[in-house]
Amino acid sequence: MDKAYQKLIDGNRRFALEKKFDDPEYFKKLSLGQKPDYLWIGCSDSRVPANEVTNTESGEMFVHRNIANMVVHTDFNLMSVLEYAVNVLEVKHIIVCGHYGCGGVRAAMTNKTYGLVDKWLRNIKDVFNKHRAELEQIEDLDKRSDRLTELNVIEQVQHLAETKIVQKAWHDGRNVQIHGWVYGLNSGLITELKAVYDDKGDIDPIYRYDFDK
Ligand code: CO
């Protein structure tokens, strides 16, 4: 048996034993249902695991991850997750978490092709283009990419506020908060970049929906 593979099965047995040892009812309680307070939208990068970096347990966080933590309004996968999280699970916080040293963001700054992911990264090129003046001032490419990572997170927070799903929740008086974070791979620390609590802020009128008709 391949060692890398067997490690997972062994790890699982140990996990189940330890959890049951700490709390014999642990899995029984979890099996009754989930009521997470948070929706996490993060990068697929193996170094940014949602639960570990926030010190949360099974059942606390509903998770969606894709390359470079994007919120693309035509992405039915993400939109299904978002709708379910907001309307059924009734999460209180939606977190977009990017990370410094993001390969997806870095790749989007180049002219290389990587396959299908080029189309996905095209969305980040648009963020670059929008902030070109600021980004081109930064000579160091790692620093430029880290700044693009931050701008990209802020952009995705904005995209969430522009969805009908989130706006309807606000309209119905529900306090859904959107947070933009960036995680430092070399510090383990999260920096809070932006938070949006309601539709009073800087959502362009063209993205606002009317619910009172
Ligand atoms: Co990444």
Side-chain angles (χ1 to χ4, degrees):
M1 182 61 70
D2 177 61
K3 256 168 122 179
Y5 175 78
Q6 191 56 39
K7 178 185 148 84
L8 301 184
I9 305 300
D10 294 345
N12 167 257
R13 297 298 185 264
R14 217 163 31 244
F15 159 79
L17 265 174
E18 280 169 14
K19 288 293 180 195
K20 263 183 117 165
F21 180 81
D22 290 343
D23 176 4
E25 302 294 299
Y26 186 79
F27 293 109
K28 204 172 162 188
K29 281 187 269 181
L30 277 177
S31 69
L32 297 176
Q34 62 167 336
K35 193 71 185 135
D37 285 331
Y38 319 97
L39 166 62
W40 173 278
I41 299 169
C43 185
S44 297
D45 194 300
S46 61
R47 299 163 296 178
V48 197
N51 283 120
E52 273 104 317
V53 304
T54 53
N55 211 19
T56 48
E57 278 288 328
S58 300
E60 289 190 83
M61 202 173 263
F62 202 58
V63 173
H64 178 89
R65 291 167 71 179
N66 61 43
I67 293 174
N69 41 270
M70 305 298 288
V71 176
V72 177
H73 70 99
T74 51
D75 177 0
F76 282 83
N77 184 352
L78 174 97
M79 288 302 153
S80 305
V81 167
L82 177 67
E83 189 182 76
Y84 189 77
V86 171
N87 293 345
V88 181
L89 298 174
E90 300 185 321
V91 298
K92 298 182 178 79
H93 302 273
I94 305 170
I95 292 144
V96 178
C97 186
H99 65 102
Y100 294 122
C102 184
V105 171
R106 189 65 197 259
M109 284 180 18
T110 73
N111 301 102
K112 294 192 190 115
T113 72
Y114 296 90
L116 193 54
V117 74
D118 298 341
K119 301 189 195 310
W120 187 249
L121 297 181
R122 164 59 201 271
N123 295 296
I124 307 179
K125 286 183 187 284
D126 292 341
V127 180
F128 184 97
N129 201 23
K130 193 171 165 183
H131 299 277
R132 177 182 293 278
E134 179 191 341
L135 289 163
E136 286 184 344
Q137 295 280 309
I138 307 168
E139 297 279 334
D140 183 273
L141 286 184
D142 290 329
K143 289 202 180 95
R144 187 186 286 182
S145 155
D146 284 349
R147 181 58 186 148
L148 179 55
T149 293
E150 295 175 353
L151 292 168
N152 185 50
V153 164
I154 292 165
E155 194 76 15
Q156 307 318 312
V157 165
Q158 203 65 22
H159 288 171
L160 283 169
E162 288 162 5
T163 63
K164 196 167 138 188
I165 298 163
V166 170
Q167 287 182 24
K168 181 75 168 72
W170 284 333
H171 178 80
D172 294 345
R174 295 188 29 222
N175 178 30
V176 179
Q177 304 185 2
I178 311 170
H179 308 266
W181 292 355
V182 62
Y183 173 78
L185 290 178
N186 50 20
S187 67
L189 295 174
I190 283 158
T191 306
E192 298 169 86
L193 295 177
K194 183 185 170 105
V196 181
Y197 299 105
D198 52 44
D199 59 359
K200 314 274 185 299
D202 51 0
I203 304 172
D204 190 278
I206 196 74
Y207 298 114
R208 287 174 186 269
Y209 293 96
D210 245 338
F211 297 105
D212 288 324
K213 288 186 186 157

Coordinates of all heavy atoms in Angstrom, one line a residue, residues 81-152:
V81 N -23.7 27.4 -3.1 CA -23.1 27.4 -1.7 C -23.6 28.6 -0.9 O -24.1 28.5 0.2 CB -21.6 27.3 -1.7 CG1 -21.0 27.6 -0.4 CG2 -21.2 25.9 -2.2
L82 N -23.5 29.8 -1.6 CA -23.8 31.0 -1.0 C -25.3 31.1 -0.6 O -25.7 31.4 0.5 CB -23.5 32.2 -1.9 CG -23.9 33.6 -1.4 CD1 -23.0 34.0 -0.2 CD2 -23.7 34.6 -2.6
E83 N -26.2 30.7 -1.5 CA -27.6 30.7 -1.3 C -28.0 29.8 -0.1 O -28.8 30.1 0.7 CB -28.4 30.4 -2.6 CG -29.9 30.6 -2.4 CD -30.6 30.2 -3.6 OE1 -30.8 29.0 -3.9 OE2 -31.0 31.1 -4.4
Y84 N -27.4 28.6 -0.2 CA -27.7 27.6 0.9 C -27.2 28.1 2.2 O -27.9 28.0 3.2 CB -27.1 26.3 0.5 CG -27.5 25.2 1.5 CD1 -28.8 24.6 1.3 CD2 -26.7 24.7 2.5 CE1 -29.2 23.6 2.2 CE2 -27.1 23.7 3.4 CZ -28.4 23.2 3.2 OH -28.8 22.2 4.1
A85 N -26.0 28.7 2.3 CA -25.5 29.2 3.5 C -26.3 30.3 4.1 O -26.5 30.4 5.3 CB -24.0 29.6 3.3
V86 N -26.7 31.2 3.2 CA -27.4 32.4 3.7 C -28.9 32.1 4.0 O -29.4 32.5 5.1 CB -27.3 33.6 2.6 CG1 -28.2 34.7 3.0 CG2 -25.9 34.0 2.5
N87 N -29.5 31.4 3.1 CA -31.0 31.2 3.3 C -31.4 30.0 4.1 O -32.4 30.0 4.8 CB -31.7 31.1 1.9 CG -31.6 32.4 1.2 OD1 -31.3 33.4 1.7 ND2 -31.8 32.3 -0.1
V88 N -30.6 28.9 4.1 CA -31.0 27.7 4.8 C -30.2 27.6 6.1 O -30.8 27.5 7.2 CB -30.8 26.4 4.0 CG1 -31.2 25.2 4.8 CG2 -31.6 26.6 2.7
L89 N -28.9 27.7 6.0 CA -28.1 27.6 7.3 C -28.1 28.9 8.1 O -27.9 28.9 9.3 CB -26.6 27.3 6.9 CG -26.4 26.0 6.2 CD1 -24.9 25.8 5.8 CD2 -26.8 24.8 7.1
E90 N -28.5 30.0 7.4 CA -28.5 31.3 8.0 C -27.2 31.7 8.8 O -27.2 32.1 9.9 CB -29.7 31.4 9.0 CG -31.0 31.2 8.3 CD -32.3 31.4 9.1 OE1 -32.2 30.9 10.3 OE2 -33.3 31.9 8.6
V91 N -26.1 31.6 8.0 CA -24.8 32.0 8.6 C -24.9 33.5 8.9 O -25.6 34.3 8.2 CB -23.7 31.7 7.6 CG1 -23.5 30.2 7.4 CG2 -23.8 32.5 6.3
K92 N -24.1 33.9 9.9 CA -24.0 35.3 10.3 C -22.9 36.1 9.6 O -22.9 37.3 9.4 CB -23.9 35.4 11.8 CG -25.0 34.8 12.5 CD -24.8 35.0 14.1 CE -26.0 34.4 14.8 NZ -25.9 32.9 15.0
H93 N -21.8 35.3 9.3 CA -20.6 35.9 8.7 C -20.2 35.2 7.4 O -20.1 34.0 7.4 CB -19.5 35.9 9.7 CG -19.8 36.6 11.0 ND1 -19.6 38.0 11.1 CD2 -20.3 36.2 12.1 CE1 -20.0 38.3 12.4 NE2 -20.4 37.2 13.0
I94 N -19.9 36.0 6.4 CA -19.3 35.4 5.2 C -17.8 35.9 5.1 O -17.6 37.2 5.2 CB -20.0 35.8 3.9 CG1 -21.5 35.4 4.1 CG2 -19.4 35.1 2.7 CD1 -22.4 36.0 2.9
I95 N -16.9 35.0 5.0 CA -15.5 35.4 5.0 C -14.9 35.1 3.7 O -14.9 33.9 3.2 CB -14.7 34.7 6.2 CG1 -15.2 35.3 7.5 CG2 -13.2 35.0 6.0 CD1 -15.3 34.2 8.6
V96 N -14.3 36.1 3.0 CA -13.4 35.8 1.9 C -12.0 35.9 2.4 O -11.5 36.9 2.9 CB -13.6 36.9 0.7 CG1 -12.7 36.6 -0.4 CG2 -15.1 36.9 0.3
C97 N -11.3 34.8 2.3 CA -9.9 34.8 2.8 C -8.9 34.5 1.7 O -8.8 33.4 1.2 CB -9.8 33.8 3.9 SG -8.1 33.9 4.7
G98 N -8.1 35.5 1.3 CA -7.0 35.3 0.4 C -5.8 35.0 1.2 O -5.8 35.0 2.5
H99 N -4.7 34.9 0.5 CA -3.4 34.7 1.3 C -2.2 35.2 0.5 O -2.2 35.2 -0.8 CB -3.2 33.2 1.6 CG -3.0 32.4 0.4 ND1 -1.7 31.9 0.0 CD2 -3.9 31.9 -0.5 CE1 -1.9 31.2 -1.2 NE2 -3.1 31.2 -1.5
Y100 N -1.3 35.8 1.2 CA -0.1 36.3 0.6 C 0.7 35.1 -0.1 O 0.6 34.0 0.4 CB 0.8 37.0 1.6 CG 0.2 38.3 2.1 CD1 0.0 38.4 3.5 CD2 -0.2 39.3 1.3 CE1 -0.6 39.6 4.0 CE2 -0.8 40.4 1.7 CZ -1.0 40.6 3.1 OH -1.6 41.7 3.6
G101 N 1.4 35.4 -1.1 CA 2.1 34.3 -1.8 C 1.1 33.4 -2.6 O 1.4 32.2 -2.9
C102 N 0.0 33.9 -3.0 CA -1.0 33.1 -3.8 C -0.5 32.9 -5.2 O -0.3 33.8 -6.0 CB -2.4 33.8 -3.8 SG -3.7 32.8 -4.5
G103 N -0.4 31.6 -5.5 CA 0.1 31.2 -6.9 C -0.9 31.6 -8.0 O -0.4 32.0 -9.1
G104 N -2.2 31.6 -7.7 CA -3.2 32.0 -8.7 C -3.0 33.5 -9.0 O -3.1 33.8 -10.2
V105 N -2.9 34.3 -8.0 CA -2.8 35.7 -8.2 C -1.5 36.0 -8.9 O -1.5 36.8 -9.9 CB -2.8 36.5 -6.8 CG1 -2.4 37.9 -7.0 CG2 -4.2 36.3 -6.2
R106 N -0.4 35.3 -8.5 CA 0.9 35.5 -9.2 C 0.8 35.2 -10.7 O 1.3 35.9 -11.5 CB 1.9 34.7 -8.4 CG 3.4 35.0 -8.8 CD 3.8 36.4 -8.5 NE 4.9 36.9 -9.2 CZ 6.2 36.9 -8.6 NH1 6.4 36.6 -7.4 NH2 7.2 37.3 -9.4
A107 N 0.2 34.0 -10.9 CA 0.1 33.5 -12.3 C -0.7 34.5 -13.2 O -0.4 34.7 -14.3 CB -0.6 32.2 -12.3
A108 N -1.7 35.1 -12.6 CA -2.6 36.1 -13.3 C -1.8 37.3 -13.7 O -2.2 38.0 -14.7 CB -3.8 36.5 -12.5
M109 N -0.7 37.6 -13.0 CA 0.1 38.8 -13.4 C 1.1 38.5 -14.5 O 1.8 39.4 -15.0 CB 1.0 39.2 -12.2 CG 0.1 40.0 -11.2 SD 1.0 40.5 -9.7 CE 2.7 40.5 -10.1
T110 N 1.2 37.2 -15.0 CA 2.1 36.8 -16.0 C 1.3 36.6 -17.3 O 0.1 36.7 -17.4 CB 2.8 35.5 -15.7 OG1 1.9 34.4 -15.9 CG2 3.4 35.5 -14.3
N111 N 2.0 36.3 -18.4 CA 1.4 36.0 -19.7 C 1.5 34.5 -20.0 O 1.2 34.1 -21.1 CB 2.1 36.8 -20.8 CG 2.0 38.3 -20.5 OD1 2.9 39.0 -20.1 ND2 0.8 38.9 -20.7
K112 N 1.9 33.7 -19.0 CA 2.0 32.3 -19.2 C 0.6 31.7 -19.3 O -0.4 32.2 -18.8 CB 2.7 31.7 -18.0 CG 4.1 32.1 -17.9 CD 4.9 31.2 -16.9 CE 6.2 31.7 -16.6 NZ 6.4 32.1 -15.2
T113 N 0.5 30.5 -20.0 CA -0.8 29.8 -20.0 C -0.6 28.5 -19.3 O 0.5 27.9 -19.3 CB -1.2 29.5 -21.5 OG1 -0.4 28.4 -22.0 CG2 -1.2 30.7 -22.4
Y114 N -1.6 28.1 -18.5 CA -1.6 27.0 -17.7 C -2.7 26.0 -18.0 O -2.9 25.0 -17.3 CB -1.7 27.4 -16.2 CG -0.6 28.2 -15.7 CD1 -0.6 29.6 -15.8 CD2 0.6 27.6 -15.2 CE1 0.5 30.4 -15.4 CE2 1.6 28.4 -14.7 CZ 1.6 29.8 -14.8 OH 2.6 30.6 -14.4
G115 N -3.6 26.3 -18.9 CA -4.7 25.5 -19.3 C -6.0 26.2 -18.9 O -6.1 27.4 -18.9
L116 N -7.0 25.3 -18.5 CA -8.3 25.9 -18.2 C -8.3 27.0 -17.2 O -9.1 27.9 -17.2 CB -9.2 24.7 -17.7 CG -10.7 24.9 -17.7 CD1 -11.3 25.3 -19.0 CD2 -11.3 23.6 -17.2
V117 N -7.4 26.9 -16.3 CA -7.3 27.9 -15.2 C -7.0 29.3 -15.7 O -7.4 30.3 -15.1 CB -6.2 27.4 -14.1 CG1 -4.8 27.7 -14.7 CG2 -6.4 28.2 -12.8
D118 N -6.5 29.4 -16.9 CA -6.3 30.7 -17.5 C -7.6 31.5 -17.6 O -7.7 32.7 -17.3 CB -5.8 30.6 -19.0 CG -4.5 29.9 -19.1 OD1 -3.7 29.9 -18.1 OD2 -4.1 29.5 -20.2
K119 N -8.7 30.8 -17.9 CA -10.0 31.4 -18.0 C -10.5 31.9 -16.6 O -11.1 32.9 -16.5 CB -11.0 30.5 -18.6 CG -10.6 30.0 -20.0 CD -11.7 29.2 -20.6 CE -11.2 28.4 -21.8 NZ -10.4 29.2 -22.7
W120 N -10.2 31.1 -15.6 CA -10.5 31.5 -14.2 C -9.7 32.7 -13.7 O -10.3 33.6 -13.2 CB -10.3 30.2 -13.3 CG -10.8 30.4 -11.9 CD1 -10.0 30.5 -10.8 CD2 -12.1 30.4 -11.5 NE1 -10.8 30.6 -9.7 CE2 -12.1 30.5 -10.1 CE3 -13.4 30.4 -12.1 CZ2 -13.2 30.6 -9.3 CZ3 -14.5 30.4 -11.3 CH2 -14.4 30.5 -10.0
L121 N -8.4 32.6 -14.1 CA -7.5 33.7 -13.6 C -7.8 35.0 -14.4 O -7.4 36.1 -14.0 CB -6.1 33.3 -13.8 CG -5.6 32.1 -12.9 CD1 -4.2 31.8 -13.2 CD2 -5.9 32.3 -11.5
R122 N -8.5 34.9 -15.5 CA -8.8 36.1 -16.2 C -9.6 37.1 -15.3 O -9.4 38.3 -15.5 CB -9.7 35.7 -17.4 CG -10.5 36.8 -18.1 CD -9.6 37.8 -18.7 NE -10.4 39.0 -18.8 CZ -11.1 39.3 -19.9 NH1 -11.0 38.5 -21.0 NH2 -11.8 40.4 -20.0
N123 N -10.4 36.6 -14.4 CA -11.1 37.4 -13.5 C -10.1 38.3 -12.6 O -10.4 39.4 -12.2 CB -12.0 36.6 -12.5 CG -13.1 35.9 -13.3 OD1 -13.9 36.5 -13.9 ND2 -13.0 34.6 -13.4
I124 N -8.9 37.7 -12.3 CA -8.0 38.5 -11.5 C -7.2 39.5 -12.4 O -6.9 40.6 -12.0 CB -6.9 37.5 -10.9 CG1 -7.7 36.5 -10.1 CG2 -6.0 38.3 -9.9 CD1 -6.7 35.5 -9.4
K125 N -7.0 39.1 -13.7 CA -6.5 40.1 -14.6 C -7.3 41.4 -14.7 O -6.8 42.5 -14.8 CB -6.3 39.5 -16.0 CG -5.2 38.5 -16.1 CD -5.1 38.0 -17.5 CE -4.1 36.8 -17.7 NZ -2.6 37.3 -17.6
D126 N -8.6 41.2 -14.6 CA -9.6 42.3 -14.6 C -9.4 43.2 -13.4 O -9.4 44.4 -13.4 CB -11.0 41.8 -14.7 CG -11.3 41.2 -16.0 OD1 -10.6 41.5 -17.0 OD2 -12.3 40.5 -16.1
V127 N -9.1 42.5 -12.2 CA -8.8 43.3 -11.0 C -7.5 44.1 -11.1 O -7.4 45.2 -10.8 CB -8.8 42.4 -9.7 CG1 -8.5 43.2 -8.5 CG2 -10.1 41.6 -9.6
F128 N -6.5 43.4 -11.7 CA -5.3 44.1 -12.0 C -5.5 45.3 -12.9 O -5.0 46.4 -12.5 CB -4.3 43.1 -12.7 CG -2.9 43.7 -12.9 CD1 -1.9 43.5 -12.0 CD2 -2.7 44.5 -14.0 CE1 -0.6 44.0 -12.2 CE2 -1.4 45.1 -14.2 CZ -0.4 44.9 -13.3
N129 N -6.2 45.1 -13.9 CA -6.5 46.2 -14.9 C -7.1 47.4 -14.2 O -6.8 48.5 -14.5 CB -7.3 45.6 -16.0 CG -7.2 46.5 -17.3 OD1 -6.2 47.2 -17.5 ND2 -8.2 46.4 -18.1
K130 N -8.1 47.1 -13.3 CA -8.8 48.1 -12.6 C -7.9 49.0 -11.7 O -8.1 50.1 -11.5 CB -9.9 47.4 -11.8 CG -11.0 48.3 -11.2 CD -12.1 47.5 -10.6 CE -13.0 48.3 -9.7 NZ -14.0 47.5 -9.1
H131 N -6.8 48.3 -11.2 CA -5.9 49.0 -10.2 C -4.5 49.1 -10.8 O -3.6 49.2 -10.0 CB -5.9 48.2 -8.9 CG -7.2 48.1 -8.2 ND1 -7.8 49.1 -7.4 CD2 -8.2 47.1 -8.3 CE1 -9.0 48.7 -7.0 NE2 -9.2 47.5 -7.5
R132 N -4.4 49.1 -12.1 CA -3.1 49.1 -12.8 C -2.2 50.2 -12.3 O -1.1 50.0 -12.0 CB -3.4 49.2 -14.3 CG -2.1 49.3 -15.1 CD -2.5 49.5 -16.6 NE -3.2 48.3 -17.1 CZ -2.5 47.2 -17.5 NH1 -1.2 47.2 -17.5 NH2 -3.2 46.2 -18.0
A133 N -2.8 51.5 -12.1 CA -2.0 52.6 -11.8 C -1.2 52.4 -10.4 O 0.0 52.6 -10.3 CB -2.8 53.9 -11.7
E134 N -2.0 51.9 -9.4 CA -1.4 51.6 -8.1 C -0.4 50.5 -8.2 O 0.7 50.5 -7.7 CB -2.5 51.3 -7.1 CG -1.9 51.0 -5.7 CD -2.9 50.4 -4.7 OE1 -4.1 50.6 -4.9 OE2 -2.4 49.8 -3.7
L135 N -0.8 49.4 -8.9 CA 0.0 48.2 -8.9 C 1.4 48.4 -9.6 O 2.4 47.9 -9.2 CB -0.8 47.0 -9.5 CG -1.9 46.5 -8.6 CD1 -2.9 45.7 -9.4 CD2 -1.3 45.7 -7.4
E136 N 1.3 49.1 -10.7 CA 2.6 49.3 -11.5 C 3.6 50.2 -10.8 O 4.7 50.3 -11.2 CB 2.2 49.8 -12.9 CG 1.6 48.6 -13.7 CD 1.4 48.9 -15.1 OE1 1.3 50.1 -15.6 OE2 1.2 47.9 -15.9
Q137 N 3.1 50.9 -9.7 CA 4.0 51.7 -8.9 C 4.9 50.8 -8.0 O 6.0 51.2 -7.6 CB 3.2 52.6 -7.9 CG 2.4 53.7 -8.5 CD 3.2 54.9 -8.9 OE1 3.9 55.4 -8.1 NE2 3.0 55.3 -10.1
I138 N 4.5 49.6 -7.8 CA 5.2 48.6 -6.9 C 6.2 47.8 -7.8 O 5.8 47.0 -8.6 CB 4.2 47.7 -6.2 CG1 3.2 48.5 -5.4 CG2 5.0 46.8 -5.2 CD1 2.0 47.7 -4.9
E139 N 7.5 48.1 -7.6 CA 8.5 47.5 -8.4 C 8.7 46.0 -8.1 O 8.7 45.2 -9.0 CB 9.9 48.2 -8.2 CG 9.9 49.6 -8.6 CD 10.1 49.8 -10.1 OE1 10.7 48.9 -10.7 OE2 9.7 50.8 -10.6
D140 N 8.8 45.7 -6.8 CA 9.0 44.3 -6.4 C 7.8 43.4 -6.8 O 6.6 43.7 -6.3 CB 9.2 44.3 -4.9 CG 9.6 42.9 -4.4 OD1 8.6 42.1 -4.1 OD2 10.8 42.5 -4.4
L141 N 8.0 42.3 -7.5 CA 6.9 41.6 -8.1 C 6.1 40.8 -7.0 O 4.9 40.6 -7.1 CB 7.3 40.6 -9.2 CG 7.7 41.3 -10.5 CD1 8.0 40.3 -11.6 CD2 6.5 42.2 -11.0
D142 N 6.9 40.3 -5.9 CA 6.2 39.7 -4.8 C 5.3 40.6 -4.1 O 4.2 40.3 -3.7 CB 7.2 39.1 -3.9 CG 8.0 37.9 -4.5 OD1 7.3 37.2 -5.3 OD2 9.1 37.6 -4.1
K143 N 5.8 41.8 -3.9 CA 5.0 42.8 -3.2 C 3.8 43.3 -4.0 O 2.7 43.5 -3.5 CB 5.9 44.1 -2.8 CG 6.9 43.8 -1.7 CD 7.3 45.1 -1.0 CE 8.3 44.9 0.1 NZ 9.7 45.0 -0.4
R144 N 4.0 43.4 -5.3 CA 2.9 43.7 -6.2 C 1.9 42.7 -6.2 O 0.7 42.9 -6.1 CB 3.5 43.9 -7.6 CG 2.5 44.4 -8.6 CD 3.0 44.4 -10.0 NE 4.0 45.5 -10.3 CZ 4.5 45.7 -11.5 NH1 4.2 44.9 -12.5 NH2 5.4 46.7 -11.6
S145 N 2.3 41.4 -6.2 CA 1.4 40.3 -6.2 C 0.6 40.2 -4.8 O -0.6 39.9 -4.8 CB 2.1 39.0 -6.4 OG 1.5 37.9 -5.9
D146 N 1.3 40.6 -3.8 CA 0.6 40.6 -2.5 C -0.4 41.7 -2.4 O -1.5 41.6 -1.8 CB 1.6 40.8 -1.3 CG 2.3 39.4 -1.0 OD1 1.9 38.4 -1.6 OD2 3.3 39.4 -0.3
R147 N -0.1 42.9 -3.0 CA -1.1 44.0 -3.0 C -2.3 43.6 -3.9 O -3.4 43.9 -3.6 CB -0.4 45.2 -3.5 CG -1.3 46.4 -3.6 CD -1.9 46.8 -2.2 NE -2.9 47.9 -2.3 CZ -4.0 48.0 -1.6 NH1 -4.2 47.1 -0.6 NH2 -4.9 49.0 -1.7
L148 N -2.0 42.9 -5.0 CA -3.1 42.4 -5.9 C -4.0 41.4 -5.1 O -5.2 41.4 -5.3 CB -2.5 41.8 -7.2 CG -3.6 41.3 -8.2 CD1 -4.6 42.3 -8.6 CD2 -2.9 40.8 -9.5
T149 N -3.3 40.6 -4.3 CA -4.1 39.7 -3.5 C -5.1 40.4 -2.6 O -6.2 40.0 -2.5 CB -3.1 38.8 -2.6 OG1 -2.3 38.0 -3.4 CG2 -3.8 38.0 -1.6
E150 N -4.6 41.5 -2.0 CA -5.5 42.3 -1.1 C -6.6 42.9 -1.9 O -7.8 42.9 -1.5 CB -4.7 43.4 -0.4 CG -3.6 42.9 0.6 CD -2.8 44.0 1.2 OE1 -2.8 45.1 0.7 OE2 -2.0 43.7 2.1
L151 N -6.2 43.5 -3.0 CA -7.3 44.2 -3.9 C -8.3 43.2 -4.4 O -9.5 43.5 -4.5 CB -6.6 44.9 -5.0 CG -5.7 46.1 -4.7 CD1 -4.9 46.6 -5.8 CD2 -6.6 47.3 -4.2
N152 N -7.8 42.0 -4.7 CA -8.7 40.9 -5.2 C -9.7 40.5 -4.1 O -10.8 40.3 -4.4 CB -7.8 39.7 -5.6 CG -8.6 38.6 -6.3 OD1 -9.5 38.9 -7.1 ND2 -8.5 37.4 -5.8

